[in-house]
Amino acid sequence: MDKFVNIIGAGLAGSEAALQLAQRGVHVRLFEMRPETETDVHRGGDCAELVCSNSLKSTKPESAAGMLKAELAALGSQLIAAAGRSRVDAGGALAVDRDKFSADVTSMVKENPYIEYRVMRVSDPLDACLGAADATILATGPLTSDALAQWLVDKTGSDNLAFFDAAAPVVMADSLDMDVLFRQSRYEQDAPGDYLNAPFDKESYDAFIAQLVAADRVIKRDFETKDLFQACQPIEEIARKGADAPRFGTCKPVGLTDPATGRRPWAAVQLRAENAQGTAYNLVGFQTNLTFGEQKRVFRMIPGLQN
């Protein structure tokens, strides 16, 4: 098939599109500005880099996220297959070793004879220097360059492009107090469980929330405003809505039994493996805009995380 497609952006969408087209004999030019042009969030220059959580959400078929994954797998998604190869234990969720996942996708892209990979910042997707194409796919992602963002604004007549982000903290496994934490997945009493749980009693929870809402936050970057994506709000913003808000959300203790007390905790923070070796864990649902100093001070109030 003598067809050519230009794809701008080698994130999740751009990488999947390139691999699917190549599989069908379509020639692809895949343009990615990193690492030549960096962003405020990405760490490297590989394809399909996950910049926030390492979880791709539920695999349970009765959930919307699980149904989508089943459909992607049935349709031959290359990235879902890569996620399966780099999977880490996360109960009913599909979580990955983010470095292994990104490296796997990068290898598939760069080793494919139908894909020409170019490190290049694109300001105009229709520029002749990109090469003649039968179609162009814009998969530039939320952290597109200023010039390409302006091109999109000019073409669409919209100035509402936005990206809101909060960092999710990661802790080293050897710093955790396993005399306090317990391993359990919700509603799984007998299985060893894929999550570590930090149990709060009422007194320690109330003290933690008081410090959380009073802590200093970073000065917001250019791409962050007071508007927040509801599914990914910083934990301190959730707590500002009410002291019990986290306890009925990301810190809900339902389905957990603290073996130290034989009872359900007042609240619980769950930790999920960040990599296949289990040397690091991330705090589930704890995206935050606190300064690093305040993260250390406040998050060390979580039982078992004092170190």
Side-chain angles (χ1 to χ4, degrees):
M1 185 185 294
D2 192 22
K3 296 287 186 180
F4 283 84
V5 173
N6 289 339
I7 300 177
I8 317 301
L12 297 170
S15 297
E16 182 76 75
L19 291 165
Q20 292 295 332
L21 288 166
Q23 186 174 315
R24 289 158 175 78
V26 178
H27 298 278
V28 174
R29 302 183 192 97
L30 179 58
F31 298 90
E32 172 55 55
M33 68 179 184
R34 298 175 297 110
E36 184 179 282
T37 302
E38 297 180 345
T39 76
D40 290 325
V41 173
H42 291 87
R43 293 187 305 157
D46 280 351
C47 302
E49 180 181 329
L50 298 174
V51 298
C52 189
S53 172
N54 69 327
S55 172
L56 304 180
K57 301 188 72 174
S58 177
T59 59
K60 296 178 180 178
E62 64 270 20
S63 70
M67 186 181 296
L68 283 170
K69 288 179 188 62
E71 291 173 350
L72 285 165
L75 291 167
S77 166
Q78 299 280 352
L79 267 67
I80 286 292
R85 291 190 292 270
S86 58
R87 187 170 189 168
V88 297
D89 293 338
L94 175 58
V96 302
D97 181 317
R98 69 179 76 220
D99 294 331
K100 184 178 179 181
F101 171 73
S102 184
D104 190 355
V105 176
T106 302
S107 295
M108 288 194 293
V109 166
K110 291 187 176 180
E111 293 171 6
N112 194 299
Y114 283 91
I115 300 174
E116 178 187 351
Y117 188 83
R118 295 190 192 178
V119 178
M120 174 181 173
R121 181 171 61 183
V122 175
S123 301
D124 181 351
L126 303 181
D127 195 319
C129 73
L130 304 185
D134 295 281
T136 297
I137 296 175
L138 292 181
T140 180
L143 287 173
T144 186
S145 67
D146 291 341
L148 185 52
Q150 187 58 52
W151 184 91
L152 281 165
V153 167
D154 294 340
K155 290 295 182 184
T156 62
S158 171
D159 60 358
N160 293 325
L161 301 176
F163 177 56
F164 315 116
D165 182 61
V170 175
V171 297
M172 302 308 296
D174 58 10
S175 72
L176 300 174
D177 187 348
M178 296 308 297
D179 290 334
V180 176
L181 301 175
F182 63 94
R183 183 175 292 278
Q184 189 180 116
S185 297
R186 286 194 173 94
Y187 299 108
E188 293 181 8
Q189 300 296 330
D190 299 324
D194 294 334
Y195 291 84
L196 297 179
N197 299 275
F200 280 108
D201 58 23
K202 186 178 187 304
E203 182 179 0
S204 60
Y205 176 81
D206 289 344
F208 170 73
I209 293 296
Q211 292 301 311
L212 181 64
V213 298
D216 291 333
R217 291 173 292 166
V218 297
I219 298 172
K220 293 189 181 297
R221 300 173 184 171
D222 291 341
F223 55 76
E224 294 174 324
T225 74
K226 63 183 177 62
D227 300 311
L228 295 166
F229 174 45
Q230 291 299 309
C232 210
Q233 289 195 70
I235 186 64
E236 63 272 14
E237 297 298 333
I238 296 172
R240 282 190 176 87
K241 292 176 169 60
D244 279 332
R247 200 166 69 87
F248 285 87
T250 191
C251 293
K252 60 182 180 289
V254 296
L256 298 173
T257 301
D258 184 354
T261 65
R263 299 190 304 271
R264 186 173 74 179
W266 180 255
V269 177
Q270 289 201 304
L271 286 76
R272 179 179 55 232
E274 175 71 14
N275 55 30
Q277 296 77 25
T279 59
Y281 284 80
N282 62 65
L283 278 63
V284 177
F286 261 64
Q287 296 86 354
T288 182
N289 277 324
L290 299 188
T291 63
F292 285 129
E294 290 288 72
Q295 286 184 44
K296 290 181 180 180
R297 180 181 70 84
V298 177
F299 292 156
R300 281 176 176 161
M301 296 176 69
I302 298 172
L305 272 66
Q306 64 271 14
N307 298 319

